Amino acid sequence: MPGVEEYFVVTNFPSVLRERMLSPDAIFIRGDDGCIITYQDYWDLSGRLANALSEQGVKIGDRVAVQVGKSVEALALFLACARLGAILLPLNTAYTSTEVAYFVDDAQPAVLICEPEKLAVFSTLCRTILTLDDNGGGTLLHGPSPLFEDVATTMDDPVAILYTSGTTGKSKGAVLTHGNLVSNALALVEAWDFTPRDVLIHALPIYHTHGLFTATNTVLLSGGSLLFRRKFDADDVVDLLPQATTLMGVPTFYTRLLAHDKLTRDLVRHMRLFVSGSAPLLIETHRAFEEKTGHAILERYGMTETSMNTSNPYGGERRAGTVGKPLKGIDVRVTNPSYGIGMIEVRGPNVFQSYWRNPEKTAAEFTKDGYFITGDLGSFDEQGYLTISGRGKDLVITGGFNVYPKEVEVEIDALADVVESAVIGLPHGDLGEAVVAVVVGRKGAPEIDEKVMIAALQTRLAKFKVPKKIIAVAELPRNAMGKVQKNQLRATYGRLFQS
């Protein structure tokens, strides 16, 4: 890494990282396997990965699809792609081969990186397939030099494609630029007062914007460090709290920590910040956590297409049930309000460039004055705090993951003796929302067997998309135009998971 005395031309994410690097010898990662990775180590690792990809013919603008377990090497693939000018395409490890095939067909990556045990299954999906296991081994890392001359890119160049959910059709690839990610990370460093003294417990997955970008880049561009865990485990996190200053998580993290008998005020007295996102945090959870620990969880609002948009204040009142105020440099408005609630629209340097190879959909999602139409409904109170009231597109967010109903409904409707189905999200104390399917069976057919149906869906869908409950009904409620009224279903079964 160049010394701090050198002059940097800030043009992209890697150049911003180099400019803000005060101490290459500072620790960036402490892993759950005992590894200690300095900022220099991390930079060198990204150089080796960039060289490995370059040797496979990856060049500027090429997509690199990745479906691997969480590891330091997997995390460093983003920086490697950024330095190479390539575009990272992270894929949920729960996706089946059928789902991965769709993403590969749509994005046409130059390379697909998978776990060694999946090589045979994925062998026909991509021209070049490399492997990477949880310990950093595999065919991806075979002795390339850490020295790599970064490819010249700009803040407007794409650096990642994250596939996002809707309510109809297939997933869309949101194209994020260097500038999108840099601007958002720096806004969060300022808003949440991150410094080199911060130690963040990182127990989030890294195929999702929360763990891959929000948590990692905020720490990376502030000079702090990560306690890097391959997965969330309440016992493990409780043991780590005395070493940490901050925690970012989904609501599920906090419900499970609340249930832990070792979580006390004394244990977290030194902690600076608890952040929650990716799914709605129940007001009850917010209040119970503050009562037990003395800390008010900071809830914020973001999307795959925009990263973070709003946040409750670090130094002010954190209001339960709200997602705070717009971050610096970001405009958020509510349009066409009815009884105060309307469509949330966002404009700023954080907003994605386009949907991958889908100009029609991109154009349809932006207003003439440049605001992105989020599809979320909400309202501002008199003090400027935003409350999310619901999603106009019926998107389900479960455990921090997006599920769009149509994809699940297609798989259910394809099962024997099913006439039709409607998939909805219902409030769930642990997951935020649970995926639930309301199903109409064929007349005269055997009664729907929930266990058999769920088992069949598990072979076609990622685990988080499989319904937690299947409800058999004689017919679905419809309006005068014949459209299924999912709001009625949510009202009818809304307390299904509440005791």
Side-chain angles (χ1 to χ4, degrees):
M1 183 183 301
V4 294
E5 73 282 356
E6 296 188 26
Y7 175 74
F8 298 107
V9 178
V10 177
T11 60
N12 53 25
F13 187 95
S15 66
V16 172
L17 175 58
R18 293 200 308 270
E19 182 194 48
R20 296 178 67 85
M21 197 68 59
L22 299 179
S23 175
D25 295 329
I27 294 174
F28 175 45
I29 292 175
R30 294 181 186 272
D32 51 12
D33 60 356
C35 73
I36 295 179
I37 307 294
T38 66
Y39 275 80
Q40 183 70 57
D41 293 334
Y42 194 67
W43 185 265
D44 289 346
L45 175 58
S46 72
R48 289 197 298 273
L49 290 166
N51 275 313
L53 293 172
S54 180
E55 289 174 2
Q56 295 295 329
V58 177
K59 58 188 184 301
I60 186 169
D62 283 346
R63 280 73 61 205
V64 177
V66 181
Q67 192 199 42
V68 297
K70 187 176 181 181
S71 67
V72 173
E73 289 77 12
L75 186 70
L77 274 169
F78 164 66
L79 183 56
C81 286
R83 296 179 65 185
L84 184 57
I87 304 171
L88 181 70
L89 172 60
L91 298 173
N92 192 321
T93 52
Y95 285 146
T96 65
S97 58
T98 301
E99 292 166 313
V100 172
Y102 165 74
F103 297 119
V104 170
D105 182 65
D106 189 60
Q108 294 292 299
V111 171
L112 170 62
I113 302 170
C114 67
E115 297 167 333
E117 57 269 27
K118 293 183 178 179
L119 181 59
V121 177
F122 291 166
S123 62
T124 61
L125 296 185
C126 189
R127 175 177 56 81
T128 301
I129 301 181
L130 301 174
T131 60
L132 178 66
D133 64 30
D134 291 352
N135 298 313
T139 60
L140 175 62
L141 291 170
H142 277 187
S145 167
L147 300 177
F148 181 80
E149 184 175 351
D150 290 9
V151 173
T153 55
T154 73
M155 289 295 186
D156 292 330
D157 284 320
V159 72
I161 296 176
L162 300 186
Y163 276 82
T164 183
S165 300
T167 55
T168 59
K170 289 287 188 178
S171 296
K172 307 176 296 296
V175 180
L176 300 173
T177 67
H178 288 259
N180 291 153
L181 300 183
V182 167
S183 68
N184 211 236
L186 294 181
L188 294 177
V189 169
E190 180 178 344
W192 295 342
D193 200 22
F194 268 78
T195 74
R197 295 185 298 275
D198 273 301
V199 180
L200 171 75
I201 298 175
H202 192 305
L204 294 158
I206 56 173
Y207 46 74
H208 187 278
T209 187
H210 193 170
L212 181 60
F213 296 140
T214 302
T216 303
N217 291 348
T218 302
V219 172
L220 196 60
L221 296 190
S222 68
S225 62
L226 301 175
L227 294 173
F228 195 69
R229 321 314 278 181
R230 296 173 194 270
K231 63 179 181 178
F232 175 82
D233 177 85
D235 291 332
D236 178 49
V237 169
V238 165
D239 289 341
L240 286 177
L241 285 171
Q243 306 172 45
T245 65
T246 56
L247 171 67
M248 293 187 197
V250 297
T252 304
F253 284 17
Y254 295 105
T255 58
R256 294 181 182 177
L257 288 174
L258 274 170
H260 204 287
D261 56 6
K262 290 185 179 179
L263 183 70
T264 64
R265 286 187 175 232
D266 284 341
L267 184 71
V268 298
R269 193 176 302 277
H270 70 288
M271 288 287 288
R272 190 177 70 79
L273 182 63
F274 291 93
V275 180
S276 181
S278 296
L281 182 73
L282 297 179
I283 293 176
E284 293 83 354
T285 302
H286 187 285
R287 291 173 178 168
F289 194 86
E290 185 171 12
E291 182 178 348
K292 187 169 185 177
T293 68
H295 285 273
I297 297 170
L298 186 153
E299 191 171 12
R300 81 303 184 277
Y301 166 54
M303 301 180 68
T304 300
E305 292 98 333
T306 64
S307 296
M308 298 305 106
N309 299 310
T310 71
S311 171
N312 269 272
Y314 173 68
E317 180 187 1
R318 301 173 194 169
R319 296 189 178 180
T322 81
V323 291
K325 302 178 180 181
L327 291 167
K328 184 177 181 179
I330 299 173
D331 297 319
V332 181
R333 69 186 183 189
V334 172
T335 62
N336 302 317
S338 176
Y339 299 100
I341 297 174
M343 181 62 65
I344 299 171
E345 298 178 351
V346 180
R347 183 176 65 182
N350 58 311
V351 178
F352 76 125
Q353 186 181 73
S354 64
Y355 287 117
W356 174 251
R357 292 178 175 172
N358 197 336
E360 295 82 8
K361 182 64 177 175
T362 301
E365 297 298 323
F366 281 86
T367 64
K368 291 182 179 180
D369 56 349
Y371 279 81
F372 171 61
I373 305 168
T374 68
D376 292 328
L377 303 175
S379 60
F380 283 105
D381 64 18
E382 294 179 355
Q383 285 72 44
Y385 285 72
L386 180 66
T387 296
I388 309 296
S389 303
R391 287 176 296 281
K393 301 177 181 179
D394 290 324
L395 182 67
V396 180
I397 302 179
T398 180
F401 300 124
N402 291 353
V403 177
Y404 61 91
K406 187 66 177 177
E407 184 179 15
V408 182
E409 290 164 357
V410 167
E411 297 296 340
I412 294 174
D413 294 349
L415 297 176
D417 298 325
V418 171
V419 174
E420 62 177 342
S421 62
V423 170
I424 56 176
L426 296 181
H428 189 283
D430 194 26
L431 300 173
E433 285 185 322
V435 179
V436 174
V438 183
V439 179
V440 177
R442 179 174 58 82
K443 289 184 179 180
E447 188 172 320
I448 289 174
D449 189 316
E450 182 181 40
K451 291 183 179 179
V452 171
M453 185 173 288
I454 288 176
L457 293 173
Q458 287 172 337
T459 67
R460 300 291 299 172
L461 296 168
K463 185 177 179 180
F464 66 88
K465 298 179 185 178
V466 176
K468 293 292 183 288
K469 183 70 177 176
I470 292 177
I471 302 168
V473 297
E475 60 182 9
L476 297 175
R478 284 180 159 79
N479 63 14
M481 299 300 292
K483 183 178 180 180
V484 174
Q485 298 294 280
K486 290 188 176 182
N487 59 327
Q488 290 189 24
L489 293 175
R490 286 189 286 266
T492 300
Y493 302 108
R495 301 186 62 82
L496 186 64
F497 297 101
Q498 300 178 21
S499 56

mmCIF file of all heavy atoms in Angstrom, residues 232 250-259 279-282 285 397-400 426-434 468 497-498:
data_model
loop_
_atom_site.group_PDB
_atom_site.id
_atom_site.type_symbol
_atom_site.label_atom_id
_atom_site.label_comp_id
_atom_site.label_asym_id
_atom_site.label_seq_id
_atom_site.Cartn_x
_atom_site.Cartn_y
_atom_site.Cartn_z
ATOM 1 N N PHE A 232 -24.143 -15.567 13.253
ATOM 2 C CA PHE A 232 -24.601 -15.026 14.523
ATOM 3 C C PHE A 232 -24.924 -16.153 15.485
ATOM 4 O O PHE A 232 -25.663 -17.085 15.164
ATOM 5 C CB PHE A 232 -25.852 -14.163 14.321
ATOM 6 C CG PHE A 232 -26.445 -13.680 15.628
ATOM 7 C CD1 PHE A 232 -25.936 -12.565 16.264
ATOM 8 C CD2 PHE A 232 -27.502 -14.363 16.217
ATOM 9 C CE1 PHE A 232 -26.466 -12.131 17.470
ATOM 10 C CE2 PHE A 232 -28.045 -13.945 17.414
ATOM 11 C CZ PHE A 232 -27.531 -12.814 18.043
ATOM 12 N N VAL A 250 -29.754 -7.406 12.506
ATOM 13 C CA VAL A 250 -31.166 -7.419 12.124
ATOM 14 C C VAL A 250 -31.977 -7.602 13.401
ATOM 15 O O VAL A 250 -31.432 -7.979 14.443
ATOM 16 C CB VAL A 250 -31.445 -8.546 11.110
ATOM 17 C CG1 VAL A 250 -30.656 -8.308 9.836
ATOM 18 C CG2 VAL A 250 -31.099 -9.911 11.689
ATOM 19 N N PRO A 251 -33.285 -7.336 13.373
ATOM 20 C CA PRO A 251 -34.089 -7.486 14.593
ATOM 21 C C PRO A 251 -33.947 -8.842 15.276
ATOM 22 O O PRO A 251 -34.010 -8.933 16.504
ATOM 23 C CB PRO A 251 -35.513 -7.251 14.084
ATOM 24 C CG PRO A 251 -35.336 -6.293 12.953
ATOM 25 C CD PRO A 251 -34.072 -6.736 12.276
ATOM 26 N N THR A 252 -33.733 -9.893 14.490
ATOM 27 C CA THR A 252 -33.571 -11.223 15.068
ATOM 28 C C THR A 252 -32.411 -11.262 16.063
ATOM 29 O O THR A 252 -32.496 -11.939 17.093
ATOM 30 C CB THR A 252 -33.331 -12.258 13.954
ATOM 31 O OG1 THR A 252 -34.410 -12.198 13.028
ATOM 32 C CG2 THR A 252 -33.247 -13.661 14.517
ATOM 33 N N PHE A 253 -31.328 -10.540 15.773
ATOM 34 C CA PHE A 253 -30.201 -10.498 16.706
ATOM 35 C C PHE A 253 -30.672 -10.022 18.076
ATOM 36 O O PHE A 253 -30.301 -10.591 19.112
ATOM 37 C CB PHE A 253 -29.124 -9.522 16.206
ATOM 38 C CG PHE A 253 -28.284 -10.013 15.074
ATOM 39 C CD1 PHE A 253 -28.660 -11.079 14.284
ATOM 40 C CD2 PHE A 253 -27.071 -9.385 14.783
ATOM 41 C CE1 PHE A 253 -27.870 -11.519 13.228
ATOM 42 C CE2 PHE A 253 -26.271 -9.809 13.739
ATOM 43 C CZ PHE A 253 -26.681 -10.872 12.957
ATOM 44 N N TYR A 254 -31.476 -8.980 18.072
ATOM 45 C CA TYR A 254 -31.851 -8.346 19.325
ATOM 46 C C TYR A 254 -32.893 -9.146 20.104
ATOM 47 O O TYR A 254 -32.861 -9.172 21.337
ATOM 48 C CB TYR A 254 -32.308 -6.905 19.051
ATOM 49 C CG TYR A 254 -31.164 -6.074 18.517
ATOM 50 C CD1 TYR A 254 -31.076 -5.727 17.177
ATOM 51 C CD2 TYR A 254 -30.115 -5.706 19.352
ATOM 52 C CE1 TYR A 254 -29.999 -5.012 16.683
ATOM 53 C CE2 TYR A 254 -29.030 -4.982 18.883
ATOM 54 C CZ TYR A 254 -28.974 -4.644 17.542
ATOM 55 O OH TYR A 254 -27.886 -3.943 17.074
ATOM 56 N N THR A 255 -33.793 -9.810 19.419
ATOM 57 C CA THR A 255 -34.751 -10.654 20.142
ATOM 58 C C THR A 255 -34.027 -11.819 20.810
ATOM 59 O O THR A 255 -34.374 -12.228 21.921
ATOM 60 C CB THR A 255 -35.843 -11.195 19.202
ATOM 61 O OG1 THR A 255 -35.247 -11.940 18.131
ATOM 62 C CG2 THR A 255 -36.682 -10.055 18.623
ATOM 63 N N ARG A 256 -32.997 -12.335 20.150
ATOM 64 C CA ARG A 256 -32.259 -13.463 20.728
ATOM 65 C C ARG A 256 -31.330 -13.011 21.846
ATOM 66 O O ARG A 256 -31.127 -13.733 22.831
ATOM 67 C CB ARG A 256 -31.507 -14.207 19.626
ATOM 68 C CG ARG A 256 -32.485 -14.867 18.660
ATOM 69 C CD ARG A 256 -31.830 -15.649 17.542
ATOM 70 N NE ARG A 256 -32.850 -16.189 16.646
ATOM 71 C CZ ARG A 256 -32.608 -16.875 15.546
ATOM 72 N NH1 ARG A 256 -31.352 -17.114 15.181
ATOM 73 N NH2 ARG A 256 -33.588 -17.328 14.792
ATOM 74 N N LEU A 257 -30.755 -11.821 21.721
ATOM 75 C CA LEU A 257 -29.942 -11.300 22.809
ATOM 76 C C LEU A 257 -30.797 -10.998 24.037
ATOM 77 O O LEU A 257 -30.371 -11.234 25.173
ATOM 78 C CB LEU A 257 -29.208 -10.034 22.362
ATOM 79 C CG LEU A 257 -28.044 -10.238 21.383
ATOM 80 C CD1 LEU A 257 -27.498 -8.891 20.920
ATOM 81 C CD2 LEU A 257 -26.932 -11.065 22.028
ATOM 82 N N LEU A 258 -32.002 -10.475 23.801
ATOM 83 C CA LEU A 258 -32.903 -10.185 24.918
ATOM 84 C C LEU A 258 -33.232 -11.436 25.720
ATOM 85 O O LEU A 258 -33.444 -11.365 26.941
ATOM 86 C CB LEU A 258 -34.204 -9.551 24.397
ATOM 87 C CG LEU A 258 -34.195 -8.042 24.211
ATOM 88 C CD1 LEU A 258 -35.453 -7.603 23.463
ATOM 89 C CD2 LEU A 258 -34.111 -7.339 25.558
ATOM 90 N N ALA A 259 -33.281 -12.570 25.049
ATOM 91 C CA ALA A 259 -33.619 -13.825 25.726
ATOM 92 C C ALA A 259 -32.422 -14.428 26.462
ATOM 93 O O ALA A 259 -32.575 -15.439 27.163
ATOM 94 C CB ALA A 259 -34.146 -14.831 24.695
ATOM 95 N N ALA A 279 -34.978 -5.096 8.377
ATOM 96 C CA ALA A 279 -36.345 -5.536 8.632
ATOM 97 C C ALA A 279 -36.912 -4.638 9.728
ATOM 98 O O ALA A 279 -36.155 -4.037 10.495
ATOM 99 C CB ALA A 279 -36.376 -6.998 9.064
ATOM 100 N N PRO A 280 -38.243 -4.545 9.822
ATOM 101 C CA PRO A 280 -38.837 -3.688 10.853
ATOM 102 C C PRO A 280 -38.514 -4.186 12.254
ATOM 103 O O PRO A 280 -38.631 -5.367 12.556
ATOM 104 C CB PRO A 280 -40.350 -3.792 10.567
ATOM 105 C CG PRO A 280 -40.445 -4.267 9.150
ATOM 106 C CD PRO A 280 -39.257 -5.148 8.935
ATOM 107 N N LEU A 281 -38.093 -3.263 13.117
ATOM 108 C CA LEU A 281 -37.853 -3.571 14.524
ATOM 109 C C LEU A 281 -39.134 -3.268 15.298
ATOM 110 O O LEU A 281 -39.620 -2.132 15.285
ATOM 111 C CB LEU A 281 -36.701 -2.725 15.061
ATOM 112 C CG LEU A 281 -36.312 -2.973 16.517
ATOM 113 C CD1 LEU A 281 -35.584 -4.311 16.663
ATOM 114 C CD2 LEU A 281 -35.428 -1.830 17.041
ATOM 115 N N LEU A 282 -39.668 -4.276 15.960
ATOM 116 C CA LEU A 282 -40.900 -4.069 16.712
ATOM 117 C C LEU A 282 -40.681 -3.059 17.838
ATOM 118 O O LEU A 282 -39.634 -3.052 18.489
ATOM 119 C CB LEU A 282 -41.390 -5.390 17.298
ATOM 120 C CG LEU A 282 -41.778 -6.487 16.305
ATOM 121 C CD1 LEU A 282 -42.212 -7.743 17.044
ATOM 122 C CD2 LEU A 282 -42.883 -6.003 15.370
ATOM 123 N N THR A 285 -39.705 -4.667 21.006
ATOM 124 C CA THR A 285 -38.308 -5.082 21.097
ATOM 125 C C THR A 285 -37.424 -3.894 21.458
ATOM 126 O O THR A 285 -36.520 -3.996 22.299
ATOM 127 C CB THR A 285 -37.837 -5.694 19.764
ATOM 128 O OG1 THR A 285 -38.681 -6.803 19.433
ATOM 129 C CG2 THR A 285 -36.400 -6.153 19.855
ATOM 130 N N ILE A 397 -40.107 -9.076 4.150
ATOM 131 C CA ILE A 397 -38.735 -9.052 4.659
ATOM 132 C C ILE A 397 -38.688 -9.953 5.882
ATOM 133 O O ILE A 397 -39.297 -9.668 6.905
ATOM 134 C CB ILE A 397 -38.277 -7.633 5.023
ATOM 135 C CG1 ILE A 397 -38.383 -6.704 3.808
ATOM 136 C CG2 ILE A 397 -36.842 -7.662 5.529
ATOM 137 C CD1 ILE A 397 -37.967 -5.281 4.072
ATOM 138 N N THR A 398 -37.987 -11.060 5.766
ATOM 139 C CA THR A 398 -37.939 -12.051 6.836
ATOM 140 C C THR A 398 -36.505 -12.273 7.282
ATOM 141 O O THR A 398 -35.649 -12.622 6.468
ATOM 142 C CB THR A 398 -38.590 -13.375 6.389
ATOM 143 O OG1 THR A 398 -38.523 -14.323 7.457
ATOM 144 C CG2 THR A 398 -37.939 -13.948 5.148
ATOM 145 N N GLY A 399 -36.216 -12.017 8.546
ATOM 146 C CA GLY A 399 -34.859 -12.177 9.051
ATOM 147 C C GLY A 399 -33.845 -11.309 8.336
ATOM 148 O O GLY A 399 -32.658 -11.604 8.306
ATOM 149 N N GLY A 400 -34.299 -10.205 7.751
ATOM 150 C CA GLY A 400 -33.410 -9.308 7.021
ATOM 151 C C GLY A 400 -33.304 -9.598 5.540
ATOM 152 O O GLY A 400 -32.630 -8.873 4.811
ATOM 153 N N LEU A 426 -46.279 -11.975 7.662
ATOM 154 C CA LEU A 426 -46.997 -11.707 8.903
ATOM 155 C C LEU A 426 -46.008 -11.380 10.015
ATOM 156 O O LEU A 426 -44.896 -11.923 10.038
ATOM 157 C CB LEU A 426 -47.849 -12.918 9.304
ATOM 158 C CG LEU A 426 -48.980 -13.298 8.348
ATOM 159 C CD1 LEU A 426 -49.739 -14.504 8.891
ATOM 160 C CD2 LEU A 426 -49.933 -12.122 8.129
ATOM 161 N N PRO A 427 -46.386 -10.492 10.950
ATOM 162 C CA PRO A 427 -45.479 -10.116 12.038
ATOM 163 C C PRO A 427 -44.985 -11.340 12.805
ATOM 164 O O PRO A 427 -45.765 -12.228 13.149
ATOM 165 C CB PRO A 427 -46.357 -9.227 12.923
ATOM 166 C CG PRO A 427 -47.401 -8.682 12.001
ATOM 167 C CD PRO A 427 -47.682 -9.791 11.026
ATOM 168 N N HIS A 428 -43.677 -11.352 13.047
ATOM 169 C CA HIS A 428 -43.056 -12.482 13.735
ATOM 170 C C HIS A 428 -42.025 -11.921 14.706
ATOM 171 O O HIS A 428 -41.169 -11.120 14.322
ATOM 172 C CB HIS A 428 -42.391 -13.406 12.712
ATOM 173 C CG HIS A 428 -41.905 -14.708 13.267
ATOM 174 N ND1 HIS A 428 -40.753 -14.812 14.008
ATOM 175 C CD2 HIS A 428 -42.428 -15.969 13.192
ATOM 176 C CE1 HIS A 428 -40.568 -16.081 14.360
ATOM 177 N NE2 HIS A 428 -41.567 -16.792 13.881
ATOM 178 N N GLY A 429 -42.094 -12.323 15.967
ATOM 179 C CA GLY A 429 -41.239 -11.755 16.995
ATOM 180 C C GLY A 429 -39.764 -11.944 16.757
ATOM 181 O O GLY A 429 -38.948 -11.110 17.160
ATOM 182 N N ASP A 430 -39.360 -13.010 16.104
ATOM 183 C CA ASP A 430 -37.949 -13.302 15.885
ATOM 184 C C ASP A 430 -37.474 -12.860 14.512
ATOM 185 O O ASP A 430 -36.388 -12.299 14.363
ATOM 186 C CB ASP A 430 -37.710 -14.807 16.051
ATOM 187 C CG ASP A 430 -36.230 -15.153 16.168
ATOM 188 O OD1 ASP A 430 -35.442 -14.296 16.604
ATOM 189 O OD2 ASP A 430 -35.861 -16.277 15.811
ATOM 190 N N LEU A 431 -38.275 -13.059 13.493
ATOM 191 C CA LEU A 431 -37.874 -12.806 12.108
ATOM 192 C C LEU A 431 -38.301 -11.449 11.574
ATOM 193 O O LEU A 431 -37.927 -11.080 10.467
ATOM 194 C CB LEU A 431 -38.445 -13.900 11.189
ATOM 195 C CG LEU A 431 -38.013 -15.333 11.503
ATOM 196 C CD1 LEU A 431 -38.796 -16.318 10.634
ATOM 197 C CD2 LEU A 431 -36.522 -15.498 11.282
ATOM 198 N N GLY A 432 -39.098 -10.716 12.348
ATOM 199 C CA GLY A 432 -39.671 -9.471 11.831
ATOM 200 C C GLY A 432 -40.948 -9.776 11.081
ATOM 201 O O GLY A 432 -42.024 -9.332 11.452
ATOM 202 N N GLU A 433 -40.825 -10.537 10.024
ATOM 203 C CA GLU A 433 -41.963 -11.052 9.272
ATOM 204 C C GLU A 433 -41.693 -12.510 8.929
ATOM 205 O O GLU A 433 -40.542 -12.897 8.680
ATOM 206 C CB GLU A 433 -42.194 -10.262 7.980
ATOM 207 C CG GLU A 433 -42.814 -8.893 8.158
ATOM 208 C CD GLU A 433 -43.118 -8.245 6.828
ATOM 209 O OE1 GLU A 433 -42.315 -8.388 5.885
ATOM 210 O OE2 GLU A 433 -44.168 -7.608 6.711
ATOM 211 N N ALA A 434 -42.736 -13.312 8.902
ATOM 212 C CA ALA A 434 -42.635 -14.698 8.471
ATOM 213 C C ALA A 434 -43.377 -14.865 7.155
ATOM 214 O O ALA A 434 -44.432 -14.266 6.937
ATOM 215 C CB ALA A 434 -43.228 -15.636 9.524
ATOM 216 N N LYS A 468 -43.278 -20.455 6.463
ATOM 217 C CA LYS A 468 -43.248 -20.996 7.817
ATOM 218 C C LYS A 468 -44.585 -21.643 8.159
ATOM 219 O O LYS A 468 -44.677 -22.481 9.054
ATOM 220 C CB LYS A 468 -42.946 -19.874 8.816
ATOM 221 C CG LYS A 468 -41.543 -19.302 8.695
ATOM 222 C CD LYS A 468 -40.507 -20.323 9.108
ATOM 223 C CE LYS A 468 -39.100 -19.759 9.067
ATOM 224 N NZ LYS A 468 -38.598 -19.563 7.685
ATOM 225 N N PHE A 497 -48.577 -15.613 14.666
ATOM 226 C CA PHE A 497 -47.338 -15.946 15.374
ATOM 227 C C PHE A 497 -47.201 -15.209 16.707
ATOM 228 O O PHE A 497 -46.133 -15.210 17.310
ATOM 229 C CB PHE A 497 -46.126 -15.639 14.492
ATOM 230 C CG PHE A 497 -46.091 -16.456 13.234
ATOM 231 C CD1 PHE A 497 -46.503 -15.904 12.031
ATOM 232 C CD2 PHE A 497 -45.685 -17.788 13.248
ATOM 233 C CE1 PHE A 497 -46.478 -16.649 10.858
ATOM 234 C CE2 PHE A 497 -45.658 -18.530 12.092
ATOM 235 C CZ PHE A 497 -46.061 -17.961 10.896
ATOM 236 N N GLN A 498 -48.276 -14.543 17.110
ATOM 237 C CA GLN A 498 -48.237 -13.801 18.364
ATOM 238 C C GLN A 498 -48.951 -14.586 19.450
ATOM 239 O O GLN A 498 -50.035 -15.107 19.243
ATOM 240 C CB GLN A 498 -48.868 -12.426 18.194
ATOM 241 C CG GLN A 498 -48.148 -11.570 17.153
ATOM 242 C CD GLN A 498 -48.820 -10.224 16.955
ATOM 243 O OE1 GLN A 498 -49.554 -9.758 17.814
ATOM 244 N NE2 GLN A 498 -48.537 -9.589 15.823
#
